């Protein structure tokens, strides 16, 4: 067996000290991908040639004394970031052969910082799913147990980080798609404040909820990636102009006397007892670190699922209208007229879950239903957002602590045919997207099956620093994030 | 009572004006007409996966200015929405438009239909949106082609109240509106090229009925003349239907200028459900009062305001003022000419512009912009008449030289020796000489044939090659003949 | 459709007719079997939504954006690289610099 893949911070240090080279690191990742990915199916496209070329350039830059923290670091990118000249599929038959002639802002920033892009990771089709089973390229398997899901939609990125196929990865989160798979694979996944990271070139699922973020081994790595990803982008009208602070500096603050909110609604009957026990352990640790645990209430929590499953599919139904078989992507054979071109192209190009959500979104926006569904959901969305604002303000909280998911990684196929129970697995994460807040999931234990369990820290708008501080303090005092799946071939 | 006169026509318009910006509404592609297909597009306007719109500031400014010119309310909080439908010339599958909160509401425009009284036409709203591309069909076998160059061109859609009652009123309204957007410089108003497009909602109802009849929306109207013809046709069609006991169907109809009729639009028979919702990629537009006022300040004076000012400040009649304010170029020319003359001479300047200059331009088939006589020169010429340097008659000669490219009137007068003689002595000598030569005519004059005065003036002018000051000539003649 | 009609409508029992209409709006060719599946699934998903009706939301402004921002504006500057070749490269069918589609009848 080869040497373990280091964390980003370790790799950056080793590269800076010339103890290793980017080519060496990249080769190590590529060889692990070659060995393990036939089992895990974490990657849709591996760009070995391009990665090694970037690695060589990174090594040259380092030898000239140039480069920054990410120079030469091999990363895996969720396959919905458009990469110029490199196939971008969104895990859909629709975009199976799509090669973008432009680059997303996130990947452009990472490349400019010297990062090496190993390839594009598997995901739920168009990021719609919580188990990675909706991918046209087949499900990703959990490195802790290949019979189980790694979660979704950023399941490929999560599995790649957990299995050490890359140093770190980039995911996106519309309703929990970074945090839930992070929890299920025992890694750290951070969703920034909506607008903190540019969405330009990120294939849209639900525009008012989508946000990109780092998926890493620990909070330090997350801070390092976020520092490069965050910042204003004139190409995204929803991008926040406030300059990002020094995230690494935020790591070093103590959490003594911090007030951490614990919403009662997140600890109800739906929560698996083993998850509950692991979260209790995390809470106890924070007490030991000198933080004050404050019971709070977020009364609109229970309405997040229906609210989300109106708003997200509505936006998606419109966002996915551009896949019409005319300018790019799949086109049906021998369309007999325009209507046939549209209807068959889209029926063939999209998978079942995507179609289900397009149908749902079309329905809730359609004449006669808009007010009852869409506008109602938008009003409830405000109530959900105000819940958080009130709790932070009234209880003077630094962060809110919750479970990330009601249960650990479930077996593949378990919920595949039951959309409603699949949707319910997002119950602790989607509120955060509706409110636009930053949140991170980090590991805090294992269940009886040896599956990782994660908890979530939610911050005030634009206060990524607070969740980094709180998360890092936890990881300094615990060891869960260092556990690696042991039964990999 | 004829069949037609028992019905009232009700017309409302939707006008799509392409805003004359340098770049498109949501990307940096040039806003230009007539390039080879798909050479003016980028991933954003061609709606590739993952791209995002960023609004062009000039679009907002032009929309605000047009809204102010239409006396509308500018919504300081307005928002973009998505209008969802599938069509090959609409690459995103939705049009970014405005729905619930448009930028302009509650405006109006006064029209002066020929032979009718001034009338106020309500503007319901004006909103910003993107133009679609073009589907090409002609000469293509078994397929259509999609050219997206026009996709993303900024449009301001102006929607009127159903206040128009005839083709003539509609024509007058469109001329007025087109003049206005040109005057503001926000749209070139070219209907043939499609930068100023009009759809007409036409219905009829029996006189006295207060409810609106079922309307047909008429498209493909590429000139004001065609709009008027289409309305006339459509009104007749609808009245015939009703008279025959049939019903008018609410539908979209295409005007066919060759066949001189409207016909049902096929292919779009499915009921539309545009599923509007607020555009999540674009935060709401928030306008400050300061910005709106700054635009109001730099807005060129409106034609209607100018019309009133010209009458008041320059003492012009309504007709002359109307001619001179018909377009901005004309008004600017006139005012520059008055500057070179004197305000008191404005009426005379107006006369020179509307009679001599426009007459000549018309005869030569030229536009004002092509005039070889610049405004300052024409003003100077008028001034020279008033200062008595030349007579009005000589001025016409000078104008002829100016037209032929001789330039400055003072130099022409000097070079050609056309300076008017005002010297009393010189003129008196000539008067005396002419009177001495025509004693018979003097007798006739004194016996009552006073129109012979003109004969004497003419003789003196002839003798002095037109350079005599006509006032002095008149005065001397009168005192000698009558005295 | 009037408000009272919507409220009296039982969303739990979405009809196959509605599913067909929605599929047409969404331009999705769906088989009779899929119509049945979607009718059942969408009914159950919409059943989840029922709980929202009971929430009083009068006077609550709809929230369209996660973060309260105002629209940023771009200067009116045109850039003009002709990218036709790159933008046609992904097209399933193109001809003479245009995207080719089945004949459109207007």
């Amino acid at each position: 067996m080869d040497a373990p893949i280091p964390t980003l911070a370790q790799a950056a240090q080793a590269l800076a000290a010339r103890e290793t080279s980017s080519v060496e690191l990249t080769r190590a990742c590529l060889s692990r991908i070659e060995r393990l990915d036939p089992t895990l199916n974490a990657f849709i496209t591996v760009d070995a040639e391009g990665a090694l070329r970037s690695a060589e350039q990174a090594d040259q830059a380092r030898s000239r004394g140039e480069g920054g923290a990410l120079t030469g670091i091999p990363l895996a990118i969720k396959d919905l970031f458009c990469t110029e000249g490199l196939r971008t599929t969104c895990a859909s038959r629709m975009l199976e052969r799509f090669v973008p002639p432009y680059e997303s802002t996130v990947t452009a920033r990472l490349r400019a910082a010297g990062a090496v892009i190993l390839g594009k990771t598997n995901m739920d089709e168009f990021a719609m799913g919580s188990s990675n089973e909706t991918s046209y390229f087949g499900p990703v398997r959990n490195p802790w147990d290949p019979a189980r899901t790694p979660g979704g939609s950023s399941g490929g990125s999560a599995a790649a980080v957990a299995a050490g196929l890359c140093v770190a990865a980039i995911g996106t989160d519309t309703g929990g798609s970074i945090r839930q798979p992070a929890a299920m694979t025992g890694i750290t996944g951070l969703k920034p404040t909506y607008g903190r990271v540019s969405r330009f070139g990120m294939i849209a699922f639900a525009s008012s909820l989508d946000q990109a973020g780092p998926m890493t081994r620990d909070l330090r790595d997350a801070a390092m990636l976020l520092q490069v990803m965050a910042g204003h982008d004139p190409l995204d009208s929803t991008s926040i102009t406030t300059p990002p602070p020094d995230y690494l500096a935020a790591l070093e603050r103590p959490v003594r006397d911090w007030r951490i909110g614990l919403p009662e609604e997140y600890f109800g009957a739906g929560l698996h007892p083993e998850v509950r026990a692991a979260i209790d352990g995390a809470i106890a640790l924070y007490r030991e670190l000198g933080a004050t645990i404050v019971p709070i209430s977020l009364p609109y929590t229970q309405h997040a699922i229906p609210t989300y499953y109106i708003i997200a599919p509505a936006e998606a139904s419109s966002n996915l209208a551009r896949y019409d078989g005319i300018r790019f992507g799949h086109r049906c054979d021998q369309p007999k007229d325009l209507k046939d071109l549209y209807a068959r192209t889209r029926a063939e190009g999209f998978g079942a879950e995507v179609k289900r959500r397009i149908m749902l979104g079309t329905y809730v926006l359609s004449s006669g239903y808009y007010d009852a569904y869409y506008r109602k959901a938008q009003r409830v969305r405000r109530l959900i957002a105000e819940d958080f604002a009130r709790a932070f303000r009234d209880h003077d909280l630094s962060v809110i602590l919750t479970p990330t998911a009601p249960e650990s990684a479930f077996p593949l196929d378990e919920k595949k045919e039951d959309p409603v129970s699949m949707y319910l697995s997002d119950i602790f994460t989607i509120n955060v997207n509706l409110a636009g807040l930053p949140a991170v999931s980090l590991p805090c234990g294992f269940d009886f099956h040896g599956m990782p369990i994660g908890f979530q820290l939610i911050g005030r708008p634009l206060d990524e620093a607070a969740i980094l501080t709180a998360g890092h303090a936890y990881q300094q005092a615990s060891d869960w994030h260092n556990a690696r799946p042991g039964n990999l071939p | 009572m004829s069949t037609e006169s028992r019905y009232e026509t009700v017309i409302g318009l939707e006008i799509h004006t392409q805003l004359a910006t340098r770049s498109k509404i949501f990307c940096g592609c040039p806003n230009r007409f007539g390039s080879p297909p798909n050479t003016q597009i980028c991933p954003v306007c061609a709606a590739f996966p993952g791209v995002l719109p960023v609004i062009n500031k000039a679009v907002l400014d032009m929309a605000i200015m047009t809204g102010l010119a239409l006396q509308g309310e500018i919504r300081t909080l307005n928002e973009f929405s998505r209008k969802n439908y599938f069509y090959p010339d609409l690459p995103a599958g939705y049009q970014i438009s405005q729905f619930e909160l448009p930028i302009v509401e509650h405006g109006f425009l006064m029209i002066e239909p020929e032979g009718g009284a001034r009338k106020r036409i309500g503007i319901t709203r004006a909103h910003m949106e993107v133009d679609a591309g073009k589907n090409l069909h002609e000469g293509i076998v078994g397929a259509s082609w999609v050219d997206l160059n026009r996709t993303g061109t900024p449009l301001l859609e102006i929607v009127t109240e159903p206040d128009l009652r005839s083709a003539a009123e509609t024509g007058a309204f469109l001329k007025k509106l087109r003049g206005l957007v040109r005057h503001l410089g926000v749209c070139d108003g070219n209907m043939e090229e499609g930068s100023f497009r009009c759809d007409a909602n036409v219905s009829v109802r029996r006189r006295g009925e207060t409810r609106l009849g079922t309307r047909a929306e008429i498209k493909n109207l590429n000139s004001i003349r065609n709009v008027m013809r289409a309305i006339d046709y459509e009104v007749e069609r609808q009245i015939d239907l009703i008279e025959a006991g049939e019903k008018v169907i609410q539908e979209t109809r295409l005007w066919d200028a060759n066949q001189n009729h409207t016909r049902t639009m096929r292919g779009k028979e499915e009921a539309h459900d545009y599923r509007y919702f607020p555009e999540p990629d674009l935060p709401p537009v928030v306008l400050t009062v300061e910005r709106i006022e700054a635009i109001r300040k730099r807005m060129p004076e409106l034609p209607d305001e100018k019309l009133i000012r010209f009458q008041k400040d320059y003492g012009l009649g309504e007709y002359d003022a109307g001619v001179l304010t018909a377009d901005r170029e004309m008004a600017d020319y006139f005012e520059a000419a008055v500057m070179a003359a004197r305000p008191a001479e404005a009426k005379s300047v107006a006369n020179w512009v509307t009679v001599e200059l426009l007459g000549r331009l018309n005869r030569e088939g030229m536009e004002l912009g092509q005039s070889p006589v610049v405004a300052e020169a024409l003003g100077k010429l008028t001034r020279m008449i008033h200062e008595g340097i030349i007579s009005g008659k000589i001025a016409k000669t000078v104008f002829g030289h100016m037209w032929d490219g001789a330039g400055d009137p003072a130099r022409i007068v000097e070079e050609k020796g056309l300076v008017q003689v005002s010297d009393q002595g010189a003129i008196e000598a000539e008067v005396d000489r002419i009177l001495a030569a025509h004693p018979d005519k003097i007798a006739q004059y004194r016996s009552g044939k006073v129109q012979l005065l003109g004969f004497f003036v003419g003789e003196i002018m002839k003798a002095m090659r037109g350079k005599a000051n006509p006032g002095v000539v008149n005065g001397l003649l009168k005192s000698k003949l009558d005295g | 459709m009037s408000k009272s009609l919507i409220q009296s409508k039982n969303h739990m029992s979405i009809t196959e007719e509605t599913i067909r209409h929605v599929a047409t709006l969404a331009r999705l060719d769906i088989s009779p079997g899929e119509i049945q599946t979607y009718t059942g699934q969408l009914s159950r998903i919409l059943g989840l939504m029922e709980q929202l009706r009971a929430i009083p939301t009068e006077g609550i402004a709809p929230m369209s954006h996660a973060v309260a921002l105002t629209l940023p504006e771009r200067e009116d500057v045109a850039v003009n690289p002709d990218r036709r070749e790159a933008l046609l490269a992904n097209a399933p069918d193109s001809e003479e610099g245009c995207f080719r589609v089945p004949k459109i009848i207007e």
Side-chain angles (χ1 to χ4, degrees):
Chain A
M1 227 177 118
D2 35 33
I5 298 298
T7 66
L8 203 166
Q10 288 164 350
Q13 204 168 32
L15 286 168
R18 315 300 302 275
E19 291 160 14
T20 187
S21 70
S22 177
V23 168
E24 200 179 332
L25 205 51
T26 302
R27 284 222 167 93
C29 291
L30 290 171
S31 103
R32 285 180 68 84
I33 291 169
E34 204 175 326
R35 191 155 54 81
L36 298 172
D37 210 43
T39 307
L40 298 174
N41 197 26
F43 282 85
I44 291 172
T45 304
V46 176
D47 183 22
E49 203 182 306
L52 286 168
R53 205 168 45 237
S54 313
E56 276 164 25
Q57 284 166 3
D59 285 336
Q60 283 160 13
R62 289 241 183 222
S63 70
R64 289 192 303 268
E66 297 163 10
L70 294 193
T71 302
I73 302 288
L75 300 176
I77 309 292
K78 188 176 185 178
D79 203 18
L80 57 59
F81 290 93
C82 288
T83 42
E84 190 170 351
L86 180 61
R87 181 172 81 134
T88 301
T89 70
C90 239
S92 180
R93 181 184 182 195
M94 188 61 91
L95 292 177
E96 192 178 358
R97 280 179 289 276
F98 177 61
V99 180
Y102 50 96
E103 186 83 14
S104 78
T105 297
V106 164
T107 49
R109 278 171 173 264
L110 293 170
R111 285 185 200 275
V116 171
I117 292 177
L118 291 166
K120 310 294 286 293
T121 56
N122 204 348
M123 52 184 281
D124 279 297
E125 184 182 7
F126 280 99
M128 297 177 191
S130 309
S131 67
N132 227 296
E133 290 165 291
T134 72
S135 170
Y136 174 63
F137 299 90
V140 179
R141 291 170 182 276
N142 194 319
W144 294 90
D145 176 359
R148 288 173 189 269
T149 172
S153 68
S154 311
S157 288
V161 174
L165 308 185
C166 57
V167 168
I170 306 300
T172 63
D173 190 317
T174 305
S177 284
I178 285 175
R179 292 159 290 154
Q180 184 253 28
M184 291 191 172
T185 57
I187 66 162
T188 300
L190 189 148
K191 181 202 93 77
T193 308
Y194 180 86
R196 180 69 293 175
V197 173
S198 169
R199 292 187 296 117
F200 183 82
M202 210 176 101
I203 298 179
F205 160 18
S207 311
S208 80
L209 301 159
D210 295 343
Q211 184 62 196
M215 301 181 76
T216 55
R217 295 265 291 277
D218 60 28
L219 259 306
R220 180 177 295 280
D221 287 5
M224 289 172 78
L225 277 181
L226 184 60
Q227 200 76 59
V228 172
M229 297 169 74
H232 179 245
D233 180 9
L235 298 179
D236 177 357
S237 299
T238 60
S239 170
I240 290 170
T241 49
T242 317
D246 182 345
Y247 293 125
L248 279 170
L251 296 177
E252 306 309 330
R253 297 181 295 180
V255 293
R256 171 160 297 282
D257 298 328
W258 275 35
R259 294 169 61 78
I260 299 177
L262 224 56
E264 55 175 336
E265 292 81 3
Y266 286 67
F267 293 88
L271 185 60
H272 196 283
E274 288 182 82
V275 176
R276 169 88 212 217
I279 308 289
D280 284 344
I283 295 166
L285 188 58
Y286 277 112
R287 283 210 173 90
E288 278 174 41
L289 293 171
T292 307
I293 303 299
V294 186
I296 62 164
S297 173
L298 299 169
Y300 285 98
T301 298
Q302 53 160 324
H303 302 302
I305 296 259
T307 302
Y308 176 88
Y309 278 96
I310 291 169
I311 291 172
E315 291 181 6
S317 71
S318 174
N319 284 334
L320 270 59
R322 69 190 56 201
Y323 306 102
D324 57 8
I326 296 176
R327 285 146 298 130
F328 43 78
H330 177 73
R331 173 186 282 203
C332 67
D333 274 338
Q334 305 284 324
K336 65 177 198 288
D337 56 24
L338 197 58
K339 248 172 117 174
D340 188 44
L341 167 73
Y342 286 135
R344 274 203 294 131
T345 293
R346 291 164 60 76
E348 294 167 5
F350 294 134
E353 181 61 26
V354 172
K355 282 191 262 191
R356 188 151 47 234
R357 296 205 196 182
I358 291 174
M359 295 282 291
L360 182 57
T362 303
Y363 177 78
V364 298
L365 287 176
S366 66
S367 173
Y369 299 103
Y370 181 86
D371 285 333
Y373 287 114
Y374 190 74
R375 203 192 300 269
K376 182 80 184 181
Q378 282 196 314
R379 293 188 205 275
V380 179
R381 180 179 186 179
R382 186 169 300 280
L383 294 172
I384 290 168
E386 285 173 356
D387 253 6
F388 282 104
R390 195 180 311 108
F392 274 113
R393 188 183 60 233
D394 292 356
H395 299 284
D396 191 25
L397 306 174
S398 298
V399 294
I400 290 170
L401 189 158
T402 77
T404 306
E407 57 183 342
S408 61
F410 46 87
L412 289 168
D413 294 332
E414 189 183 274
K415 299 180 199 283
K416 204 178 166 187
E417 301 306 321
D418 183 3
V420 171
S421 76
M422 189 72 91
Y423 296 172
L424 291 172
S425 69
D426 297 333
I427 191 156
F428 299 143
T429 47
I430 60 180
N431 301 275
V432 170
N433 298 79
L434 290 168
L437 304 175
V440 65
S441 173
L442 55 161
C444 63
F446 291 90
D447 70 1
F448 176 75
H449 301 285
M451 291 298 109
I453 294 167
F455 74 99
Q456 172 173 245
L457 294 167
I458 305 165
R460 294 170 186 247
L462 280 183
D463 200 2
E464 282 77 9
I467 58 174
L468 288 168
T469 302
H472 184 66
Y474 179 81
Q475 290 183 338
Q476 289 295 96
S478 68
D479 217 18
W480 301 112
H481 60 288
N482 291 324
R484 300 268 63 88
N487 56 350
L488 286 169
Chain B
M1 207 176 191
S2 75
T3 310
E4 268 73 26
S5 63
R6 279 191 278 119
Y7 288 89
E8 183 183 40
T9 304
V10 178
I11 303 156
L13 302 176
E14 290 166 20
I15 300 104
H16 290 87
T17 55
Q18 282 185 348
L19 298 177
T21 53
R22 285 185 282 272
S23 60
K24 289 184 178 179
I25 182 167
F26 292 123
C27 65
C29 287
N31 177 13
R32 188 162 55 203
F33 179 80
S35 303
N38 295 310
T39 55
Q40 312 283 305
I41 65 171
C42 73
V44 175
C45 55
F48 271 55
V51 299
L52 296 169
V54 181
I55 189 132
N56 180 346
K57 181 174 182 285
V59 173
L60 290 169
D61 288 346
M62 288 182 181
I64 294 167
M65 189 183 282
T66 311
L68 291 172
L70 291 170
Q71 316 296 329
E73 290 167 20
I74 309 299
R75 285 195 73 101
T76 51
L77 175 70
N78 61 88
E79 72 178 9
F80 284 97
S81 289
R82 290 188 186 176
K83 178 181 182 179
N84 295 281
Y85 66 94
F86 288 86
Y87 215 52
D89 63 10
L90 186 74
Y94 56 83
Q95 180 190 32
I96 302 181
S97 180
Q98 296 196 293
F99 186 53
E100 287 187 354
L101 304 175
I103 188 163
V104 178
E105 287 179 311
H106 314 307
F108 67 87
L109 191 62
M110 299 301 295
I111 59 165
E112 300 90 24
E114 262 174 60
R118 265 165 76 82
K119 183 172 173 184
R120 182 186 196 274
I121 305 301
I123 304 292
T124 314
R125 58 187 277 156
H127 66 255
M128 301 171 282
E129 62 184 23
V130 298
D131 206 346
K134 279 182 178 163
N135 299 327
L136 313 171
H137 319 288
E138 251 164 80
I140 307 160
V141 181
S144 293
W145 289 349
V146 184
D147 170 13
L148 299 177
N149 279 348
R150 198 179 69 175
T151 314
T153 297
L155 293 178
L156 187 71
E157 181 177 337
I158 299 166
V159 182
T160 75
E161 293 289 309
D163 287 348
L164 296 157
R165 288 292 174 271
S166 67
E169 282 186 12
T170 306
F173 175 84
L174 285 171
K175 273 180 206 147
K176 188 77 187 276
L177 181 65
R178 189 175 59 178
L180 180 68
V181 292
R182 280 178 174 164
H183 178 82
L184 296 173
V186 299
C187 174
D188 68 16
N190 190 326
M191 283 186 90
E192 286 72 25
E193 284 182 4
S195 54
F196 185 84
R197 308 198 288 271
C198 171
D199 298 338
N201 287 305
V202 180
S203 66
V204 299
R205 63 184 172 195
R206 284 182 197 279
R207 287 202 185 275
E209 173 64 62
T210 50
R211 280 172 309 170
L212 290 173
T214 306
R215 66 190 155 85
E217 184 181 6
I218 309 169
K219 289 182 182 285
N220 197 33
L221 302 167
N222 65 356
S223 69
I224 292 178
R225 193 168 148 261
N226 275 328
V227 174
M228 295 169 69
R229 283 169 67 202
I231 289 170
D232 283 338
Y233 172 85
E234 185 61 22
V235 166
E236 208 179 301
R237 186 186 73 87
Q238 293 186 12
I239 291 174
D240 287 350
L241 276 175
I242 295 167
E243 287 291 312
E246 290 173 50
K247 273 195 170 146
V248 178
I249 309 163
Q250 185 166 336
E251 61 178 348
T252 302
R253 298 181 69 85
L254 283 182
W255 168 248
D256 186 330
N258 297 323
Q259 307 269 348
N260 201 18
H261 70 186
T262 65
R263 59 178 163 85
T264 297
M265 207 167 155
R266 284 178 298 156
K268 283 193 172 177
E269 71 276 16
E270 269 166 51
H272 284 302
D273 184 347
Y274 292 126
R275 288 161 284 135
Y276 282 99
F277 72 103
E279 165 60 281
D281 288 331
L282 296 168
V285 183
V286 178
L287 302 172
T288 62
V289 174
E290 290 73 29
R291 177 178 185 175
I292 295 167
E293 288 314 308
I295 290 170
R296 197 194 295 277
K297 277 202 190 98
R298 69 163 190 265
M299 186 163 73
E301 185 183 22
L302 298 177
D304 281 356
E305 293 166 5
K306 197 166 279 196
L307 181 78
I308 292 164
R309 183 169 61 85
F310 275 27
Q311 294 176 57
K312 205 172 113 226
D313 290 6
Y314 299 128
L316 304 182
E318 192 175 339
Y319 178 79
D320 277 352
V323 172
L324 291 171
T325 56
D327 71 62
R328 190 165 154 188
E329 204 183 355
M330 174 82 68
D332 288 350
Y333 186 99
F334 167 73
E335 294 212 272
V338 173
M339 285 281 277
R342 270 184 302 227
E345 296 151 16
K347 265 178 113 156
S348 161
V349 173
N351 220 33
W352 274 91
V353 173
T354 56
V355 180
E356 293 303 322
L357 181 69
L358 287 184
R360 189 68 188 260
L361 286 168
N362 271 339
R363 280 202 301 281
E364 309 278 339
M366 288 160 76
E367 299 283 329
L368 182 60
Q370 301 167 295
S371 168
V373 179
V374 298
E376 288 70 23
L378 192 70
K380 265 192 193 167
L381 182 68
T382 322
R383 186 170 187 149
M384 288 169 78
I385 301 166
H386 283 261
E387 286 176 348
I389 298 169
I390 50 172
S391 65
K393 194 157 175 239
I394 291 282
K396 287 185 188 178
T397 312
V398 176
F399 181 82
H401 290 300
M402 288 160 74
W403 184 272
D404 294 335
D408 184 53
R411 221 182 55 230
I412 296 168
V413 168
E414 200 190 310
E415 278 176 7
K416 311 248 174 209
L418 299 171
V419 178
Q420 177 168 273
V421 178
S422 297
D423 172 50
Q424 195 92 8
I427 296 173
E428 190 166 7
E430 205 57 44
V431 169
D432 289 343
R433 201 178 62 78
I434 294 293
L435 289 177
H438 298 93
D440 49 333
K441 295 267 186 330
I442 297 173
Q444 284 172 20
Y445 177 89
R446 286 188 175 144
S447 64
K449 215 169 170 191
V450 289
Q451 61 268 45
L452 275 171
L453 184 69
F455 164 80
F456 290 115
V457 172
E459 285 300 300
I460 293 160
M461 283 298 188
K462 214 190 297 173
M464 296 188 73
R465 304 210 322 277
K467 287 186 284 182
N469 182 323
V472 177
V473 171
N474 263 314
L476 282 169
L477 268 176
K478 276 195 161 177
S479 72
K480 285 181 193 280
L481 289 167
D482 301 342
Chain C
M1 195 173 293
S2 79
K3 249 199 168 99
S4 61
L5 249 175
I6 294 167
Q7 274 155 8
S8 68
K9 215 177 192 118
N10 186 353
H11 293 268
M12 309 285 280
S13 60
I14 190 167
T15 63
E16 293 190 2
E17 180 58 37
T18 305
I19 293 291
R20 266 193 294 272
H21 172 66
V22 170
T24 306
L25 280 179
R27 299 293 185 276
L28 287 171
D29 193 14
I30 54 172
S31 67
E34 282 175 305
I35 291 174
Q36 270 202 324
T37 313
Y38 283 132
T39 306
Q41 286 176 339
L42 258 59
S43 291
R44 286 204 296 129
I45 296 166
L46 291 167
L48 273 183
M49 320 300 186
E50 292 306 295
Q51 68 182 75
L52 297 188
R53 287 159 177 268
I55 306 171
T57 51
E58 293 83 53
I60 307 292
M63 181 169 166
S64 304
H65 300 275
V67 175
L69 296 172
T70 61
L71 190 69
E73 297 169 33
R74 170 178 67 78
E75 289 301 319
D76 182 20
V77 178
V79 285
N80 186 26
D82 171 6
R83 302 180 64 183
R84 180 162 86 178
E85 209 176 312
L87 291 164
L88 283 171
N90 279 290
D93 195 0
S94 65
E95 196 169 35
E96 302 278 333
C98 290
F99 301 99
R100 196 171 185 271
V101 295
K103 194 95 185 161
I104 301 165
I105 306 145
E106 274 181 348

